[in-house]
Amino acid sequence: MAAMAEVKEQLIPVLQKCSLTDGMSEAEIRELLSLAQVRIRDYAKGDIVFHEGEVPHCIYILLAGEVHILKDTFSGRQIFLSEIAEAGDMFGEVYEVLEQPYDMYVEAVKPTRVLEIASRLLSFDAGGELTQSALLVQRNLMRIFARKAYFMAGKLKVLASGSLREKIVRFLFQHLGGDGCIELAVSREFLAAYLAVTRPSLSRELSAMQREGILAVDGKTIKVVDMERFEAYL
């Protein structure tokens, strides 16, 4: 018990960066971690955090490691949907609140530690007297859903584009800095999944735009070289 209390104490800096505990004091985070509905779980590489079709019982906050969100087709092909690799990032919350079975599954791709918060703590009709930390978590959850709705609106604008090049330009335009540069915060795999294309197709199109002098690509840094031709695809 003492060892677990020490582990939870070490989680406070991670949770202070998490959107689910945004604005909470150290004392309120400690109160949250002390609740019976909150526990830490470790997963080995290749372990499944939850399977497609399972009924949600908690939401998850990544503490260390990395997980991939995946889906299998009827023919057995595995589709990469997203990655969770930043400590403090959350996943599974939408399914838990809507009480809908998962339509995808999550796999640990390296040794991973996760904080699991049981559904009954987050239920808006749980009844009884809720702790201050639980009330703050519920408030933050509503804000998270609002941001997700805004994110999806932006994604729909991108996906409504006709060609892959138009999708790429509209995505980059949303993240364009005043200096004409974009610092991608996601991997090529994530971006390809976001644009609903294969990674090779995405890489080919970025390379073509670079050869044509529209973009300069250096790892995750992309610079618009010819703004006039770039904006012609908006």
Side-chain angles (χ1 to χ4, degrees), residues 58-77:
C58 63
I59 66 172
Y60 304 85
I61 297 174
L62 184 73
L63 301 175
E66 181 178 347
V67 300
H68 284 181
I69 300 175
L70 306 163
K71 188 175 180 65
D72 292 336
T73 66
F74 288 111
S75 62
R77 185 167 66 91

Side-chain angles (χ1 to χ4, degrees), residues 64-198:
E66 181 178 347
V67 300
H68 284 181
I69 300 175
L70 306 163
K71 188 175 180 65
D72 292 336
T73 66
F74 288 111
S75 62
R77 185 167 66 91
Q78 185 184 78
I79 300 175
F80 172 86
L81 299 177
S82 185
E83 64 186 7
I84 306 293
E86 191 73 27
D89 282 354
M90 182 172 56
F91 57 99
E93 71 280 3
V94 173
Y95 298 87
E96 187 281 326
V97 172
L98 295 178
E99 299 181 344
Q100 294 293 319
Y102 298 115
D103 59 3
M104 43 69 173
Y105 63 97
V106 172
E107 178 181 343
V109 295
K110 60 174 67 171
T112 295
R113 172 165 284 184
V114 171
L115 188 71
E116 300 183 349
I117 302 178
S119 304
R120 59 185 179 276
L121 178 67
L122 302 171
S123 174
F124 292 95
D125 57 355
E129 185 176 350
L130 295 176
T131 64
Q132 175 68 9
S133 59
L135 289 170
L136 290 171
V137 165
Q138 289 184 354
R139 178 204 66 183
N140 287 337
L141 199 56
M142 293 299 295
R143 292 177 176 175
I144 290 165
F145 287 153
R147 285 195 293 268
K148 283 183 178 288
Y150 180 80
F151 171 83
M152 288 306 299
K155 183 173 182 178
L156 287 173
K157 291 178 183 178
V158 172
L159 294 181
S161 306
S163 67
L164 173 54
R165 182 166 296 195
E166 288 171 349
K167 290 179 181 180
I168 292 172
V169 168
R170 289 194 179 187
F171 174 84
L172 295 178
F173 184 74
Q174 291 178 358
H175 300 83
L176 190 64
D179 59 354
C181 290
I182 304 99
E183 291 291 338
L184 291 179
V186 296
S187 67
R188 289 279 183 96
E189 285 183 330
F190 179 94
L191 181 55
Y194 180 94
L195 298 177
V197 299
T198 64

Side-chain angles (χ1 to χ4, degrees), residues 204-217:
R204 281 195 298 270
E205 193 61 36
L206 286 172
S207 296
M209 295 175 75
Q210 184 164 244
R211 287 195 304 272
E212 294 170 25
I214 300 172
L215 300 176
V217 182

